[in-house]
């Protein structure tokens, strides 16, 4: 009788261990699916925001075609921040030729605010240099952060984007 109890107990323990193993595998699989979905949502959000920003940049040049950023002779009707490297937050960029205090990219007549990037990323940066043209920069909030999202973004953006360290540089206008 004692052998039978030991045999039954062994099968019960084996069954519990098997259920625990299957549960752990299912939890891992579900976690991976949720993580993939989160990355995909981040990429889709960034791509939509990129279109809003591009539209704002082109609208700036269209509304004020006679504007002059005064930094260099190329693409004069488009904003070129007077900061180091002609780089600034997109929220601070002002259309050349616009009346004082009006019509920066943040408050254009399109009614769209400057998009706030997903939580893993810093605010959008705008750069306009003579050599490189107009480039938008997207950086993770934490060094090395959002690596999978950045990899997918680079793949989706193709030749219009490049990466230097953590920085994704997206060419808008050459």
């Amino acid at each position: 009788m004692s052998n039978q109890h030991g045999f039954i107990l062994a099968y019960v323990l084996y069954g519990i261990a098997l259920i625990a193993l299957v549960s752990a595998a299912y939890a891992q699989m579900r976690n991976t699916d949720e993580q993939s979905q989160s990355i995909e949502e981040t990429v889709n959000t960034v791509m939509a925001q990129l279109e809003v920003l591009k539209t704002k940049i082109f609208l700036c040049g269209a509304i004020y075609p006679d504007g002059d950023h005064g930094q260099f002779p190329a693409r004069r009707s488009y904003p070129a921040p007077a900061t180091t490297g002609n780089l600034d937050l997109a929220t601070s960029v002002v259309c050349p030729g616009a009346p004082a205090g009006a019509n920066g990219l943040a408050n254009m007549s399109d009614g769209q605010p400057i998009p706030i990037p997903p939580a893993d990323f810093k605010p959008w940066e705008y750069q306009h240099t003579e050599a490189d043209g107009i480039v938008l920069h997207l950086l993770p909030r934490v060094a090395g952060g959002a690596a999978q999202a950045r990899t997918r973004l680079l793949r989706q953006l193709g030749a219009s984007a490049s990466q230097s360290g953590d920085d994704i540089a997206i060419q808008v206008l050459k």
Side-chain angles (χ1 to χ4, degrees):
M1 185 79 165
S2 180
N3 272 346
Q4 284 181 329
H5 286 305
F7 188 68
I8 292 171
L9 183 61
Y11 269 114
V12 168
L13 291 175
Y14 176 74
I16 291 170
L18 189 58
I19 289 171
L21 183 63
V22 169
S23 295
Y26 177 75
Q28 178 66 30
M29 188 173 66
R30 183 178 165 103
N31 186 32
T32 301
D33 287 345
E34 288 173 359
Q35 186 178 25
S36 291
Q37 184 178 0
S38 175
I39 292 167
E40 191 64 31
E41 287 173 8
T42 297
V43 169
N44 290 340
T45 298
V46 168
M47 294 301 289
Q49 290 181 357
L50 185 56
E51 290 309 311
V52 169
L53 288 165
K54 285 179 178 181
T55 299
K56 287 182 158 302
I57 293 165
F58 292 126
L59 187 59
C60 184
I63 292 174
Y64 303 104
D66 297 327
D68 185 352
H69 57 64
Q71 301 295 317
F72 44 83
R75 298 166 300 278
R76 296 181 82 70
S77 62
Y78 294 98
T83 55
T84 303
N86 298 102
L87 175 72
D88 205 349
L89 292 175
T91 54
S92 301
V93 172
V94 177
C95 297
N103 286 344
L105 291 182
N107 57 355
M108 302 254 337
S109 60
D110 64 353
Q112 293 283 330
I114 295 289
I116 298 169
D120 291 338
F121 293 97
K122 293 180 180 180
W124 286 97
E125 292 183 348
Y126 173 97
Q127 185 174 32
H128 184 182
T129 64
E130 187 167 21
D132 296 327
I134 298 173
V135 177
L136 291 169
H137 295 271
L138 188 63
L139 292 126
R141 287 196 184 277
V142 177
Q148 291 177 330
R150 286 185 289 124
T151 299
R152 285 193 191 178
L153 278 167
L154 286 166
R155 195 173 344 155
Q156 195 161 339
L157 290 165
S160 67
S162 62
Q163 184 173 4
S164 176
D166 286 345
D167 179 20
I168 294 178
I170 304 151
Q171 187 76 49
V172 175
L173 186 63
K174 184 69 176 162

